[in-house]
Amino acid sequence: MNKDEHASKKASNLEKTLKALTVRREIPAFTIIFLILIFIGGSILTTAAGRSQELIMIEGKPLPVSTFAGVFSTLGNMCVIFMVVYYKKLGFITSMILLATQVPGFYINVFRNGNYTSIPGMFTGLLTVIACIIIFLNNRKIENYQKRINDQAVTDRLTGLPNRFAVSELIKKLIKQGRKFAVVTININNFKSINETMGMDTGNLVLIEATSRWKNLANSGETGTSDFISRVAGDEFSLVIRGYQSENELMRTIGFYASALEERITADDCDFYITASFGAAEYPTDADSYDILISCSVAAMTEIKRAKNSEHIARFRPEMLKVEHTLEIEREIRAALENDTIFFNLQPQYDMTHKLRGFETLARMKSADGKPISPGEFIPVAEKVGLIDKLDSTVFRKSAEFFGELVRKTGADITLSVNVSVRHLMKNGFLEELRDIIQMTGIPTNQLEIEITESIMIDSYEKALNCISEVKKMGIKIAIDDFGTGYSSLSYLHKFPADLLKVDKSFIDQMNQGESSKRYVASIISIGHIMGFDVISEGVEEPDQLETLRSIGCDYIQGFIWGRPLPKEEAEKLVEMKSA
Ligand code: C2E
Ligand code: CA
Ligand code: CA
């Protein structure tokens, strides 16, 4: 450890850091010397002017120089008052000494020399002393009051630890200094159950005991690092660690805080054995701003708490933020399902003459604050946490209801394509659900298509095949979605009872970038045709892509060039217009 770090370690116990956070009036030290010099100069001039018998002429009238003595003495007195105001105790002592040095002069003048003209000056000096004492005492009162207010603003009442404001100020200050430090978010495990079973008062006693152990540890210097512990909310704490050299040293320090809880805590005659979860993030390695640094340490703490194993300390890793985000999306999906706010858009599909083939229904969702969340984000989460079947069914049901009505109204010969995730399709009740939807919505089965991703042919071919055959028997069409992105074998494809191949957008994007890419798409289309499927290209955006697809025999297209996903009302208008 270098000299610099030693110094910072010494200076950084809790009290010192807190003191540094309180507002102080800063005045340069040299000003007091300046004020002393003016005082001395003023005194000399006062004496000199007082003794002078000379006259000066102002506008032809004589004025005794001695009358200026009062001006110089007031100047000196002002200096001592400034000192008391701005330099507190030091200023008060200095001013008292300076005023005392005048006493012998007055004494000699009045009592020895019989010069009674000094008597008014003596009274002025006395009044100045009284003014200084009053200002000094008043200042002290205000300062004590200010200190109390400052302490309250940065201290947690229950535990006496610095609070959230104090730690946030400290972290922001450290970030400005730019030196390495760690923030550890600490959360007491199962604290809620102590509160619920034993009551808040007992819970508070447990908190007070735990924090007093941590406070002692931080102040003792036993950890070998410079630590600042604070309470940010309920059972959540924040520990700032500085002065460590390695990751091991950091972990060792956190270990001290974890071990401090090992011994039982007795509160209200009950014994408690508590543990806490610790999540550590480091500046600037993990984050270089306050908010992200805190999020990182909270994410690490949440992860280790969720793991529910014997480990209680986690060091932040970038993938932990993803976990946080996933959780957030999961909460949004659950809320949307519960509040029935999932809705759908319909993206038109056309044949090459621009005749409407139908629509693909695409799930849409908004977060609680009204911002749309992309399906690219929420569909994978719904799949991961097992909510996809509920989500699929909702979209399916709602769009089939709308589409059934639309077809009855317009008599349009168009198809509704619905995405069904593999997981959903493999569920036992899928076929019943399908029959139920068809019956409820009255959608003609020959105008319904189910899109399944190519992955079904890789993971669950045999099992899926039975289900798909049943679906086919109902007259429903089958589309293979995102074709080309998986690695399904041609022999599987050959046996698969599909109607439509959907060429993935990634191939269409590259198609016009080289002859071989174009030939690749052309061969996918040919294979599709050989197997007896129609082929639709997804994500067509440019006229040259459309031209190429025409020239290589593609049957249908779906893309922004002819239609973005539309709200149902606009899709309805489109159908009415086309069938008019
Ligand atoms: P997908 O099934 O491949 O759907 C096509 C996606 O490509 C849609 O994105 C659509 O908006 C987008 N797209 C279509 N044409 C163009 C184009 O010309 N340019 C560009 N840049 N994009 C185009 P979206 O709506 O974001 O959906 C993303 C994926 O989410 C879908 O890909 C699908 O896999 C999944 N998804 C959407 N709704 C559902 C659903 O209800 N159930 C299930 N299981 N998955 C769904
Ligand atoms: Ca699709
Ligand atoms: Ca697709």
Side-chain angles (χ1 to χ4, degrees), residues 347 360 362-364 375 379 388 392 395 419 421 481-482 505 538-541 559-560 565:
Q347 188 176 26
E360 174 179 2
L362 295 161
R364 294 291 178 260
I379 296 284
I388 192 69
D392 270 355
V395 175
N419 292 287
S421 87
D481 203 358
D482 303 342
K505 179 176 186 295
E538 290 188 281
V540 183
E541 292 178 348
F560 291 178

